[in-house]
Amino acid sequence: QSGRAARDIDFGIAVENWDQFAQLKKDLVATGDFESDRRMLQGLIYQDPAIDFSIWVHLIPFRRVAAGDSTITWPPSRALASSVSMQIDENLRTRVASAPGLTLLKLVAWSDRSRETNKDAADLYRLLTAYADAGNTDRLYDQDMELLEAVGFDMELAGAELLGRDVARVCSRPVLVQTRSLLESEPDIEHLVRQMVQSSTYAEAMPMVERMVNSFYRGLMKNT
């Protein structure tokens, strides 16, 4: 897998209430492998002194603790349905966010902290540009030839639009409306494009990045 090494890792945790979430954090800290990150409620720091390794761990609670019309919630049934099973170790298999699910999470993170960091924009750009090559090339040729033709057989643009369609498919209708609203205005798109370009090494990437974001948004709006 190409790209930068992860500086943090996110886990979606289904909990019934905040007390259960707090107990989970307490139990993890009690193992001695984790330390509370006092800067954020959901943060922990995993440390392995033997190999001089540490990484931020973000626990993202959902189910009973996620509510309210002004927030984006992701129903557990859809989260699990769109996740991917991965073998972590010989005796450990877990489910991780699919690319569309991760894109949705990154969009939400970007909307929350884009004034503080361009990290989420950079991650979104990698997802957009890599989606065609992430096992979707044959799918584009076999099932979505009209999409390829519409973008002049540009695989990255086609992949970005396909990702937008797939994000729309994993969203319930209310979540889809809220997700679309994150990029509904020209200033929003321009802000995202600028942050993506800032993570690039060449300024002339602006037109190309803008086309990529517009392709993704077109896919997100496909199923109206």
Side-chain angles (χ1 to χ4, degrees):
Q1 180 180 348
S2 61
R4 64 172 173 80
R7 291 173 296 181
D8 55 34
I9 185 169
D10 299 334
F11 286 97
I13 307 294
V15 292
E16 299 300 322
N17 52 57
W18 286 110
D19 287 341
Q20 191 178 78
F21 180 71
Q23 185 62 49
L24 172 63
K25 280 190 60 180
K26 182 178 179 180
D27 292 343
L28 288 172
V29 171
T31 66
D33 294 327
F34 296 88
E35 177 182 328
S36 290
D37 184 351
R38 297 179 181 178
R39 296 172 301 176
M40 56 180 66
L41 173 67
Q42 73 275 24
L44 293 170
I45 302 171
Y46 171 78
Q47 301 181 76
D48 187 342
I51 58 174
D52 192 26
F53 174 80
S54 65
I55 191 170
W56 279 274
V57 178
H58 298 152
L59 304 179
I60 303 173
F62 63 89
R63 188 175 282 170
R64 300 295 183 186
V65 297
D69 295 337
S70 62
T71 60
I72 293 180
T73 60
W74 192 9
S77 60
R78 290 179 180 266
L80 292 174
S82 65
S83 63
V84 178
S85 180
M86 179 175 289
Q87 191 78 34
I88 303 298
D89 204 348
E90 182 178 355
N91 299 313
L92 177 61
R93 176 174 287 275
T94 188
R95 302 196 70 86
V96 299
S98 63
L102 180 58
T103 301
L104 180 58
L105 290 174
K106 285 294 177 181
L107 272 171
V108 175
W110 173 78
S111 71
D112 285 342
R113 59 186 186 184
S114 64
R115 304 298 173 185
E116 305 166 13
T117 176
N118 66 355
K119 172 186 177 296
D120 300 303
D123 290 341
L124 281 167
Y125 181 65
R126 290 183 180 88
L127 286 163
L128 265 59
T129 56
Y131 197 57
D133 289 334
N136 290 303
T137 301
D138 289 343
R139 177 183 167 194
L140 282 166
Y141 277 106
D142 295 340
Q143 303 173 29
D144 294 283
M145 180 60 74
E146 90 291 343
L147 194 163
L148 266 176
E149 292 174 344
V151 296
F153 289 87
D154 185 311
M155 292 300 293
E156 286 192 348
L157 289 178
E161 183 167 342
L162 185 65
L163 179 57
R165 294 182 184 185
D166 288 348
V167 169
R169 290 189 183 105
V170 304
C171 293
S172 65
R173 183 64 187 180
V175 173
L176 179 57
V177 170
Q178 293 180 50
T179 303
R180 287 170 173 169
S181 72
L182 299 179
L183 297 173
E184 67 182 0
S185 70
E186 197 65 31
D188 291 331
I189 292 179
E190 289 177 356
H191 179 51
L192 178 58
V193 169
R194 281 196 303 272
Q195 288 201 316
M196 287 180 171
V197 172
Q198 287 170 8
S199 67
S200 175
T201 57
Y202 51 100
E204 52 271 27
M206 179 74 77
M208 180 266 292
V209 174
E210 188 172 13
R211 288 195 298 272
M212 199 72 61
V213 172
N214 285 336
S215 291
F216 172 74
Y217 184 67
R218 188 164 55 247
L220 198 62
M221 296 297 293
K222 181 68 176 179
N223 300 320
T224 55

